[in-house]
Amino acid sequence: TITILDTKGVEEMKTLAGHRGAVTAIFPDENTLYTGARDGVIRVWDLRMHKCLKKIKVHTDPITSIHYLNGSIITSSWDGCIYIHKEGEEGKRLSMATPSSAPVLDVQCLAGTMYAGCRDGRARAWLADQDKPICTYIAHNAPIQALLLDEEARMYTGSDDNSIRVWDLKVPKRVVDTESCVYVFEGHTDGVLCLA
């Protein structure tokens, strides 16, 4: 269930119900809200009419992040996949291409490339039209919970190892290890769950 609040009066305006599990990811885009949940389902909501416009079952496990970019809904999941659903087309599933199919905990997009933060402590990069990663960042010794990309072509990875690492995305390599990390922010007393 999603509750919409009036931020001026902090009162409930409307409830959007439909997911069969906790809502785990949301992405607002003007009058549309994209949600993902533990049920592995994407829902597309019209915020003016307060109703669900579309329901798409894409994952076998909980959805961990959701984005809307250039007419495509992009989700990641504990099932180890990234799913791209372009309006009017069949969806495309990208798997982690690892023996463990590490759960994908966050996905971000920059300049036609998708970056995934995974439970195995690695970040992976894909071009949207390819099925295999173009780069793997051996980033942390614990799950990557959050990613942030900036205009300077840097990626920030936040992890359960209590650190944030900064990576230069302009360095084209197939595998990037911790030696290539630009900077490490340490000092958190617990895992880094969000970056903004």
Side-chain angles (χ1 to χ4, degrees):
T1 303
I2 301 151
T3 303
I4 300 172
L5 300 174
D6 175 0
T7 57
K8 294 178 185 146
V10 192
E11 60 186 56
E12 185 175 324
M13 290 177 53
K14 193 69 179 171
T15 299
L16 306 176
H19 283 291
R20 295 184 183 266
V23 175
T24 53
I26 63 170
F27 187 86
D29 184 46
E30 295 186 22
N31 292 313
T32 305
L33 182 67
Y34 301 88
T35 61
R38 287 183 180 252
D39 58 9
V41 171
I42 296 170
R43 285 188 178 261
V44 181
W45 305 88
D46 183 314
L47 293 174
R48 290 173 298 212
M49 298 186 306
H50 301 109
K51 73 176 204 172
C52 182
L53 301 175
K54 188 181 292 187
K55 174 184 168 185
I56 311 162
K57 174 70 173 164
V58 295
H59 292 286
T60 58
D61 287 325
I63 292 174
T64 55
S65 68
I66 189 166
H67 299 277
Y68 183 79
L69 182 67
N70 300 328
S72 295
I73 303 168
I74 303 166
T75 57
S76 62
S77 171
W78 273 86
D79 64 12
C81 293
I82 295 171
Y83 192 83
I84 305 167
H85 180 79
K86 191 158 186 78
E87 289 294 322
E89 295 180 14
E90 194 68 30
K92 180 178 184 178
R93 183 178 305 276
L94 303 173
S95 70
M96 281 291 90
T98 64
S100 62
S101 289
V104 184
L105 303 178
D106 195 9
V107 65
Q108 299 287 324
C109 304
L110 179 69
T113 304
M114 292 179 296
Y115 297 86
C118 303
R119 187 160 168 71
D120 64 3
R122 287 167 166 68
R124 293 173 176 85
W126 274 270
L127 294 176
D129 60 350
Q130 294 184 5
D131 289 337
K132 294 184 179 176
I134 57 170
C135 184
T136 298
Y137 297 83
I138 302 170
H140 296 270
N141 59 10
I144 296 174
Q145 296 286 349
L147 296 176
L148 177 68
L149 306 173
D150 71 13
E151 298 82 26
E152 305 290 321
R154 289 181 299 235
M155 175 174 62
Y156 300 77
T157 55
S159 171
D160 281 347
D161 68 6
N162 306 349
S163 73
I164 299 168
R165 293 183 185 267
V166 183
W167 308 87
D168 184 354
L169 301 177
K170 293 176 273 188
V171 180
K173 289 184 178 178
R174 186 87 176 112
V175 177
V176 179
D177 61 16
T178 54
E179 302 292 319
S180 300
C181 176
V182 175
Y183 194 80
V184 179
F185 294 97
E186 296 178 307
H188 290 87
T189 57
D190 209 339
V192 178
L193 303 179
C194 183
L195 295 170

